[in-house]
Amino acid sequence: MLILLLKMLPLILLSLAGYVLCRIKWLDAAFNRQLSLVMLNVFYPCLIISSILSNFTWETLLQNWVMPAGTVFILVTGWVIGALTLPLLKRQPENTKRCYHFVCMMNNYSFLPILMATSLWGEKAVALIVLSALGSELCVWTLGIKSITGQKFGRGFFRHIISVPMIALLVSFALVAIRSACASRLPAENTLTGELFKNLLATCRMAGAATIPASALICGTRIAMIHPQRLFSPLILGTSLLRVVVTPALCITALLLLPLEEETRRVLILIATMPVAMASVTLAEAYRSDADFSAAAILLTHLLCLITIPLWLALTGWFFL
C-alpha cells in the first residue's frame, strides 16, 4: 500500500494544487473547460504521436498484438457493465447517465500502471503497458465517445469520432508503417532533414509531457467544486465499486483462464485493477457532460484503489502486502 501511495504522490500533489487554486479563486469552471480543450486538442495528440513513434516499430506492433487486444477486452467489459446497469439511473439527468457509462469503462490505463510496473517488474513490463495503451485509445475514441456524447451510430457519431486525438492515432500508425517500409531510404540523423524530423518529434514529446499535469490540475479544480454530499452519494459509491471491484473481478477471471504468457497476463491484470482515469474530467468538460460526477468518481476510486490494487495483486500472486 505504501508503494502505491508513493507512486500516486505526483498525481495527488498536482490535483491538490488544482484544488487549492480553485479555492483561492485563481481557477474557475471557465478556465477548466478552456484548459480541457487545449489538453484534448494539443497536449494529448502530441503525447500519442511521440509515444508511438518513440517506442514502436511495425514489427513490435504485430508481434505484441495481444497487449492492445487485452486492454480492448478490459475497457469493453467496463463499457458492457455500464450499459447493463444504466437503466438503474433512470431518475438521473441525461449528462450524468452519459458520464456514468463512460466512467465505467475509462480506467487509468497508462500513467499509474507504468509507475507501478517500474517498481514491481522493470522496463519490459513498462514497454508492454505503453503498447497496450493503443487498444485503450481506440476504445476511448470510439465506444467512449459514443458513451459520453450519447450519440447513436450515425452521421453525428462519426463526426465526434473524427477528433484530433483520433487523427493523431491514425497518423501515428501510418508513420510507423511508412518508417518500417522505407527504412533504408529515410534521411540520416546528421542531415538537415533528419535533424528536422528529430526536433519535430522532440517538440511533440515536450508538449505531450504536459498531458498528465494538465489532467491532474483539471481534476483537482473540479473536485474543489463538488459538494461533499455528492461525493459520498450511493451513485458515486456504487460506480466506484463497479470500477475497482466488479470489473476487475470479471477481467481477472478471464485473464487467468486465457492461455497467455505470464508477463503479459500480470501486466493486463494490473491494468484491469486501475481506478478511473483523470482524463475523464477533461473529456466530460470538453463534451459538456457531468464533470462533477467524473471528479467524484476519480477521487473515490483512487482512495479505494490503495486497498484494492494490493489485494488484487496479492490474490493473483504478483504482489506481497
Side-chain angles (χ1 to χ4, degrees):
M1 186 182 294
L2 181 59
I3 291 174
L4 180 56
L5 181 60
L6 290 174
K7 291 301 176 186
M8 288 172 61
L9 193 58
L11 290 178
I12 293 170
L13 292 176
L14 286 166
S15 298
L16 184 61
Y19 180 91
V20 172
L21 290 172
C22 182
R23 284 295 183 183
I24 63 176
K25 310 297 184 186
W26 284 16
L27 302 181
D28 57 16
F31 173 84
N32 230 30
R33 174 163 168 75
Q34 292 301 317
L35 182 58
S36 296
L37 291 172
V38 171
M39 202 214 79
L40 195 63
N41 294 301
V42 180
F43 299 153
Y44 192 36
C46 287
L47 178 65
I48 290 171
I49 292 171
S50 64
S51 61
I52 292 176
L53 291 179
S54 300
N55 291 285
F56 305 119
T57 64
W58 194 250
E59 291 72 24
T60 57
L61 289 176
L62 294 177
Q63 288 167 7
N64 295 286
W65 64 270
V66 72
M67 291 305 303
T71 52
V72 167
F73 166 72
I74 291 166
L75 267 69
V76 168
T77 299
W79 189 87
V80 170
I81 289 171
L84 292 175
T85 54
L86 202 53
L88 299 175
L89 278 68
K90 52 186 164 186
R91 294 186 178 179
Q92 297 293 330
E94 186 59 35
N95 66 339
T96 301
K97 292 180 186 177
R98 290 189 277 113
C99 209
Y100 166 81
H101 196 187
F102 183 73
V103 161
C104 284
M105 180 192 81
M106 184 72 170
N107 69 344
N108 191 327
Y109 54 80
S110 59
F111 183 68
L112 186 54
I114 283 173
L115 291 176
M116 287 198 65
T118 302
S119 294
L120 293 172
W121 305 312
E123 289 185 9
K124 187 176 179 184
V126 171
L128 290 175
I129 291 171
V130 173
L131 178 59
S132 73
L134 298 179
S136 302
E137 297 290 355
L138 288 172
C139 281
V140 169
W141 297 105
T142 51
L143 290 177
I145 294 301
K146 182 183 185 306
S147 301
I148 206 163
T149 61
Q151 290 282 345
K152 298 186 182 298
F153 290 109
R155 185 179 301 174
F157 170 65
F158 290 106
R159 186 171 63 249
H160 280 296
I161 279 186
I162 305 304
S163 58
V164 178
M166 191 64 181
I167 292 170
L169 196 61
L170 296 174
V171 167
S172 300
F173 286 147
L175 290 174
V176 169
I178 292 168
R179 184 174 63 185
S180 180
C182 308
S184 59
R185 285 171 283 176
L186 291 176
E189 280 194 13
N190 57 354
T191 64
L192 182 61
T193 308
E195 283 295 318
L196 175 62
F197 282 120
K198 179 181 174 182
N199 282 284
L200 285 174
L201 184 59
T203 303
C204 276
R205 191 178 297 114
M206 188 184 300
T211 302
I212 301 299
S215 295
L217 197 65
I218 291 165
C219 185
T221 304
R222 182 51 71 171
I223 287 171
M225 301 176 193
I226 302 172
H227 193 285
Q229 205 170 20
R230 189 174 193 192
L231 180 60
F232 299 103
S233 69
L235 178 57
I236 294 296
L237 181 59
T239 304
S240 299
L241 290 175
L242 279 179
R243 178 63 269 164
V244 299
V245 177
V246 178
T247 301
L250 293 174
C251 293
I252 289 170
T253 301
L255 291 169
L256 290 173
L257 293 173
L258 289 171
L260 300 171
E261 291 183 8
E262 205 67 4
E263 191 158 28
T264 298
R265 192 194 316 276
R266 71 187 183 188
V267 168
L268 288 174
I269 285 176
L270 177 64
I271 294 169
T273 65
M274 289 294 113
V276 177
M278 288 195 170
S280 299
V281 173
T282 304
L283 288 163
E285 294 272 15
Y287 289 101
R288 299 188 183 279
S289 187
D290 191 343
D292 284 350
F293 178 90
S294 287
I298 288 166
L299 179 58
L300 192 52
T301 55
H302 276 75
L303 291 174
L304 290 172
C305 82
L306 292 172
I307 299 170
T308 58
I309 292 177
L311 283 176
W312 281 123
L313 296 184
L315 286 170
T316 52
W318 286 304
F319 189 79
F320 296 97
L321 297 175

